[in-house]
Amino acid sequence: MTNWHALTVEEVLGRLDVDPVQGLSKQEAGRRLAQTGPNELATDSGPSRLSILLAQFKDVLVWVLLVAGFISGWILNEWVDTGVILAIVVLNAIIGYTQEVRAEAALAELKEMSAPEARVWRDAELTTIAAVDLVPGDVVSLEAGDRIPADVRLIELVRLEADEASLTGESLPVSKQVEPTPLESGTGDRVSLAFAGAVVTSGRGKAVVVSTGQLTEMGKIANLLTEEEPRTPLSLEMGRVGRTIAVLAFGIAIVIFVLGLVRGNPVESMFLIAVALAVAAIPEGLPAITTITLSRGVQRMARRNAVIRKLTAVEALGAASVICTDKTGTLTRNEMSVQKIGFAGASLALKEAHGSERRIHRYGLIAALCNDSQPSGRRFIGDPTETALLRSVDPIVLNVDEVRSSYPRVDELGFDSRRKRMATLHHTEEGYLLAVKGAPEVIIDLSSDVETRTGAEPIDDALVHRAKAEAAEFAAAGLRTLAFAYRLFESRPVDLQGVEHDLTLVAIVGMSDEIRPEVPPAVRAAERAGLRVVMVTGDHEVTARSIADELGLLDDGRRVMGGAELRSIDEDVLASVVADFGAYARVDPVDKVKLVRAWQRQGAIVAMTGDGVNDAPALKAADIGISMGSGTAVSKEASSMVLADDNFASIVAAIEEGRGIFSNLKKVIYFLLSANASEVLVMLAGFLLFGGLGEPLLAVQILWINLVTDGLPAIALGMDPPVPGLMDRRPDQRRDILGRAHQVRILWQSAILAAGALAGFAYGHLVRDLPWEHVRTIGFSTLVGVQMLHVFNVRAQGTSVWQRGFFDNRLLLIAITLSLLLQLGVVYLPIGNQLFDTVPIDLIDWVAILVLNIVPFLTIDFFRTQGLRRNPQSATAMD
């Protein structure tokens, strides 16, 4: 790779073998085009729609469900259950298919950002060609408003500036130069280059193409976007759970089938029992209920201005522990404003002073006159720095239109990077006014007087020192500084360049991209919630340090890492020190991805925010990418969530909502798995204890519990109000949603539930001495009841059920009531008796069932609360 930015113009032209006046010949351009290929971003056709659809059926749990559906229909002749299971599979496939079809949209949007045409010298003639036909060595013309068609090396220019914010994160247009820049310069500091996709905001120039297509900086971003997104904790866990369930279901079925044959039971009967056990092990409703829980959460988040593009983002958002946030347009307004103003050491506040104060009035006059921005309704349009100056004085100090009408411009000297200043000449009633603004060190040296309360007075060494110290102080605080001065003439000067001396210094101004007012409290709220906020920007280190320090991101001795250090540091070393830094400056797109991965290697779940093209690769690499609603389409397509109001505070609100949703999602998973485990234990123990009397539960009864009586409370559980103090806890970074500790809890709790149901069988058989159909109906109903009460144990995370309460989720109470009514229908309605092989039972049996429901409920709550007292940290997990 050639470092074009570090070569002189002559060296660049020599290596590319091109004459800057003649340009390339048409024949040579054609030869190079055949060699390098078209100037466009390469995108493959990607997978077909059919392959994307078929990929939705690769998940293990999906195949387990399909097998369960086949068994229910073709073996057990339960076609309704088969239809429900297939509907669940189709629903999940549709959701996944819809998301993946849009996956390549970001690359397509990048292609649209390329300039459609370019003005280029070919055979000494300036002609317009399709940008796709540009080749390295082409000499192109650039003017204000042009979108740069390829990465180019500037060879001639007149006050050329380019807006590269979407690529580098630089909040202001970048002044370009033809002189080479240091070899180690980062992308944002290579000001001798201009990059494809950037826009020329002012000036004009001539440049030679050095990189096209995939080799441009935009092309490198496109390459990063093709990398696979990380899988979320939930998707990893659900895959593992699916495989585990498949193995357990098959293993249990085989064991029971063999044991039955050993005991001399009929083969057909044992086969049906084995199938019922396999069905009991499969949580048929889990995929659909998980999807419903996430979807409902998405709707609630949308009401808080967080638009979720991918359902899995909700789960990652709830577990996020680090927010890597862009500065421009995210923490700041992406709008320059005057922050400080000093008058040779005496600071005055514009909002608190009156325009009658001589120095403020004079500053306002120069800011309005030596300025090319124009009023447009209630706004100003033009260069960001100049519009910020106008907003600082209009209407507080003066009216810009009235001043410009009273002081018409008659001559000017535009800003020049060598002169570092701008001057305009205006006609006044007394003569002429020369208004000058520019770099403080230049304007101060050109000044012979200083404006005071009473008028102009000679400037001495002490005042010069105070003025320069003030400018240095502003710059050290990350502010862009400008000095303002003027000179009066009785007659019109002939040559402006000859009279830019003996100026009267008025003021020194410090400007910056203003921090959004809602950001500081949002950052503090994030810190309280255990979220680490890190600023990642393409802006200069001084500016980054100032913003980060003001937001408290550099507390506890955290530092700022510059882009050069970030590019050179080894990934292993970066991962070991990443927590020591609160901000990163002059960061290139590939380095943002490197930073995200460093945090991920530390076990963090990373949320990355941004709004520019340069943010897209990191948005995709992060566990959750968050783009701004006003950001580029590329960043939105690469992200998992879009903030509709561009408000950083909405991120914290979304994380709070995400934590609640994720907490509910874990409750749903724990409830359904503990319910399924209790059914397996009932079937296994029931067969060993009562196998000679008949099947403990029929397959159709188990499917009824899994899809209906358990399904309704599980859906309501997914909409449970958040646990109090959710944002006062540190994020739950553990990715073992179903790790060993949780599996142990599920097992012992399901064992207690199963013991309650088995006690129902024992009551019916040993105490009441009822026929087996009555005994099975009592055991069946007891199992439904203990699972209904178990919902309250599952939802009481971090506390006892009595402290959590029973009545704050009306939907849950309705769901449980409906499930119990449906169970009564199964027991007492003829159609229920026919479909589920049940019989009506007596009132005394319901009293026994109630007791057998309450005992497991109280037992689990007792052991849970005892465990909480021994280990309070388990409050953030399933207790």
Side-chain angles (χ1 to χ4, degrees):
M1 181 183 296
T2 304
N3 295 300
W4 300 106
H5 63 282
L7 301 178
T8 64
V9 171
E10 293 74 18
E11 289 173 328
V12 171
L13 295 174
R15 294 200 182 190
L16 292 171
D17 191 21
V18 62
D19 186 307
V21 177
Q22 298 288 326
L24 297 174
S25 66
K26 294 180 180 178
Q27 292 79 7
E28 176 62 16
R31 188 189 69 80
R32 295 190 184 189
L33 183 62
Q35 182 179 3
T36 62
N39 176 36
E40 62 182 359
L41 299 182
T43 56
D44 55 35
S45 58
S48 67
R49 297 293 177 92
L50 179 60
S51 63
I52 292 175
L53 180 61
L54 294 177
Q56 309 308 312
F57 298 92
K58 291 181 179 180
D59 187 80
V60 175
L61 191 55
V62 170
W63 279 102
V64 171
L65 290 177
L66 290 174
V67 171
F70 173 80
I71 291 172
S72 298
W74 275 271
I75 296 179
L76 303 179
N77 204 32
E78 301 293 342
W79 292 104
V80 174
D81 298 321
T82 297
V84 172
I85 292 173
L86 292 179
I88 291 170
V89 172
V90 170
L91 172 65
N92 283 277
I94 291 173
I95 293 173
Y97 172 81
T98 303
Q99 292 172 352
E100 291 190 27
V101 161
R102 301 185 304 179
E104 301 302 318
L107 292 176
E109 184 66 26
L110 277 172
K111 292 186 70 174
E112 293 180 9
M113 290 190 66
S114 302
E117 293 182 332
R119 293 186 303 279
V120 58
W121 272 268
R122 295 272 177 90
D123 293 320
E125 291 186 2
L126 183 62
T127 182
T128 300
I129 66 171
V132 72
D133 294 328
L134 283 176
V135 296
D138 265 328
V139 180
V140 297
S141 172
L142 299 174
E143 296 181 359
D146 288 348
R147 186 179 294 278
I148 297 171
D151 284 2
V152 298
R153 174 64 164 86
L154 295 158
I155 57 177
E156 297 177 12
L157 59 81
V158 178
R159 298 191 298 276
L160 190 143
E161 293 186 346
D163 180 2
E164 299 174 347
S166 65
L167 182 67
T168 66
E170 176 69 60
S171 54
L172 294 171
V174 179
S175 295
K176 296 297 181 177
Q177 65 183 46
V178 297
E179 294 79 12
T181 55
L183 182 64
E184 66 277 6
S185 300
T187 304
D189 295 320
R190 298 175 185 176
V191 292
S192 57
L193 299 178
F195 302 106
V199 177
V200 179
T201 57
S202 63
R204 63 183 184 276
K206 197 174 186 180
V208 59
V209 175
V210 295
S211 298
T212 59
Q214 214 70 13
L215 298 179
T216 63
E217 290 298 318
M218 193 73 75
K220 294 174 184 176
I221 291 177
N223 289 333
L224 292 173
L225 283 172
T226 61
E227 296 185 8
E228 187 177 353
E229 295 182 56
R231 293 186 65 187
T232 64
L234 183 63
S235 63
L236 293 170
E237 288 293 323
M238 292 304 288
R240 185 164 62 84
V241 168
R243 291 188 294 272
T244 303
I245 288 174
V247 172
L248 286 176
F250 182 75
I252 291 171
I254 293 295
V255 169
I256 293 299
F257 183 75
V258 172
L259 285 176
L261 293 181
V262 171
R263 294 179 59 172
N265 292 344
V267 174
E268 182 180 352
S269 174
M270 288 314 306
F271 179 74
L272 291 176
I273 292 175
V275 167
L277 267 171
V279 171
I282 300 170
E284 288 85 0
L286 181 56
I289 294 172
T290 299
T291 300
I292 291 170
T293 299
L294 291 172
S295 299
R296 291 286 297 177
V298 165
Q299 295 174 16
R300 291 202 304 270
M301 295 179 82
R303 290 194 288 269
R304 302 185 74 169
N305 295 309
V307 181
I308 300 295
R309 296 185 60 251
K310 303 173 185 177
L311 286 181
T312 52
V314 178
E315 173 250 341
L317 188 65
S321 55
V322 173
I323 303 176
C324 291
T325 175
D326 184 40
K327 177 187 73 71
T328 305
T330 307
L331 297 176
T332 62
R333 294 180 180 275
N334 195 19
E335 180 180 84
M336 292 292 289
S337 62
V338 174
Q339 303 293 338
K340 294 183 179 181
I341 182 168
F343 299 88
S347 296
L348 293 177
L350 289 176
K351 294 181 180 180
E352 298 174 0
H354 297 286
S356 58
E357 214 290 342
R358 184 183 185 90
R359 289 169 294 183
I360 290 180
H361 178 75
R362 188 69 75 178
Y363 157 71
L365 199 63
I366 300 170
L369 296 176
C370 190
N371 194 313
D372 290 331
S373 291
Q374 298 296 323
S376 177
R378 296 183 178 181
R379 301 173 60 249
F380 297 100
I381 57 175
D383 179 83
T385 299
E386 295 196 328
T387 58
L389 294 173
L390 295 185
R391 288 198 307 273
S392 73
V393 298
D394 186 339
I396 299 172
V397 178
L398 46 75
N399 181 282
V400 170
D401 285 330
E402 293 177 0
V403 166
R404 289 179 175 178
S405 177
S406 301
Y407 296 82
R409 184 185 297 188
V410 295
D411 202 354
E412 65 183 279
L413 286 173
F415 181 85
D416 186 278
S417 59
R418 291 183 295 273
R419 297 173 60 251
K420 295 184 178 180
R421 60 188 182 273
M422 172 184 180
T424 55
L425 186 66
H426 304 266
H427 187 267
T428 70
E429 294 180 356
E430 296 81 14
Y432 292 87
L433 167 69
L434 179 68
V436 184
K437 73 169 186 281
E441 65 274 13
V442 173
I443 302 300
I444 292 171
D445 288 342
L446 292 174
S447 300
S448 59
D449 296 284
V450 62
E451 192 78 6
T452 69
R453 286 179 177 273
T454 57
E457 296 182 1
I459 193 168
D460 55 23
D461 291 341
L463 284 174
V464 169
H465 176 76
R466 286 170 60 187
K468 289 185 175 180
E470 192 164 48
E473 179 185 339
F474 287 179
L479 303 179
R480 183 174 186 178
T481 57
L482 283 176
F484 295 78
Y486 72 96
R487 184 178 177 183
L488 299 175
F489 301 91
E490 293 183 357
S491 59
R492 179 173 177 173
V494 178
D495 179 18
L496 287 190
Q497 287 189 339
V499 297
E500 286 182 305
H501 57 80
D502 293 329
L503 304 177
T504 299
L505 177 66
V506 176
I508 296 171
V509 165
M511 293 175 290
S512 70
D513 188 2
E514 188 176 8
I515 294 176
R516 293 175 177 269
E518 67 275 4
V519 166
V523 170
R524 291 192 294 271
E527 294 282 353
R528 286 195 303 272
L531 290 159
R532 177 72 180 274
V533 181
V534 179
M535 185 175 73
V536 185
T537 178
D539 223 329
H540 292 279
E541 187 170 337
V542 172
T543 304
R545 186 183 304 279
S546 174
I547 297 291
D549 190 50
E550 187 172 347
L551 292 175
L553 304 184
L554 302 183
D555 292 349
D556 301 325
R558 298 170 194 158
R559 294 171 286 159
V560 178
M561 180 182 286
E565 183 180 358
L566 181 57
R567 283 188 292 275
S568 63
I569 194 170
D570 180 77
E571 287 196 10
D572 293 332
V573 177
L574 178 61
S576 65
V577 301
V578 68
D580 297 336
F581 295 87
Y584 297 82
R586 302 309 276 172
V587 178
D588 290 342
V590 68
D591 296 324
K592 293 187 177 185
V593 177
K594 180 179 179 181
L595 186 60
V596 167
R597 289 174 178 163
W599 274 109
Q600 289 172 334
R601 289 177 65 175
Q602 289 295 310
I605 296 178
V606 182
M608 175 75 191
T609 75
D611 61 352
V613 175
N614 63 317
D615 298 317
L619 291 174
K620 190 171 184 180
D623 295 285
I624 173 168
I626 305 173
S627 65
M628 302 296 112
S630 63
T632 61
V634 178
S635 65
K636 292 177 186 176
E637 288 296 335
S639 67
S640 305
M641 185 179 91
V642 179
L643 290 183
D645 60 353
D646 286 10
N647 192 335
F648 181 84
S650 295
I651 298 175
V652 180
I655 287 176
E656 181 179 9
E657 194 71 47
R659 284 190 180 184
I661 294 167
F662 187 35
S663 174
N664 288 345
L665 191 58
K666 289 193 291 185
K667 295 176 192 176
V668 169
I669 293 172
Y670 298 150
F671 170 67
L672 290 178
L673 292 184
S674 60
N676 274 84
S678 68
E679 294 159 19
V680 171
L681 291 174
V682 167
M683 286 295 294
L684 186 59
F687 174 75
L688 295 176
L689 296 174
F690 309 107
L693 301 174
E695 300 171 46
L697 291 173
L698 301 177
V700 66
Q701 293 172 341
I702 296 171
L703 280 172
W704 170 260
I705 296 173
N706 289 353
L707 294 176
V708 182
T709 58
D710 280 354
L712 295 175
I715 293 173
L717 195 60
M719 304 173 195
D720 207 33
V723 178
L726 201 60
M727 288 299 284
D728 294 330
R729 303 172 178 174
R730 297 192 65 80
D732 184 6
Q733 291 182 243
R734 292 169 295 185
R735 291 176 178 259
D736 60 334
I737 299 171
L738 290 171
R740 182 169 299 175
H742 296 308
Q743 291 176 23
V744 170
R745 290 190 179 99
I746 289 174
L747 186 59
W748 72 256
Q749 291 182 10
S750 60
I752 294 175
L753 297 178
L758 289 169
F761 284 96
Y763 161 80
H765 177 59
L766 300 176
V767 177
R768 293 269 285 153
D769 193 23
L770 297 170
W772 185 247
E773 289 77 9
H774 286 73
V775 173
R776 185 165 53 202
T777 301
I778 292 173
F780 176 32
S781 299
T782 305
L783 182 59
V784 170
V786 295
Q787 290 183 0
M788 293 302 98
L789 283 181
H790 186 55
V791 171
F792 294 104
N793 267 314
V794 171
R795 74 186 290 263
Q797 292 185 356
T799 184
S800 73
V801 292
W802 313 104
Q803 291 174 312
R804 184 70 173 91
F806 297 88
F807 305 106
D808 58 334
N809 186 344
R810 293 183 179 179
L811 186 60
L812 180 60
L813 295 176
I814 293 172
I816 291 175
T817 302
L818 183 58
S819 290
L820 293 176
L821 289 175
L822 288 171
Q823 182 63 22
L824 288 175
V826 166
V827 173
Y828 289 106
L829 294 179
I831 188 172
N833 300 151
Q834 182 179 357
L835 291 175
F836 297 97
D837 201 12
T838 58
V839 294
I841 56 178
D842 297 334
L843 179 61
I844 187 65
D845 298 325
W846 285 112
V847 173
I849 290 172
L850 180 61
V851 172
L852 295 176
N853 288 170
I854 293 174
V855 171
F857 167 73
L858 296 177
T859 303
I860 292 174
D861 183 56
F862 173 77
F863 284 115
R864 280 183 58 260
T865 51
Q866 291 299 311
L868 276 174
R869 290 169 185 168
R870 292 191 301 269
N871 180 22
Q873 295 299 321
S874 63
T876 59
M878 174 191 163
D879 306 314

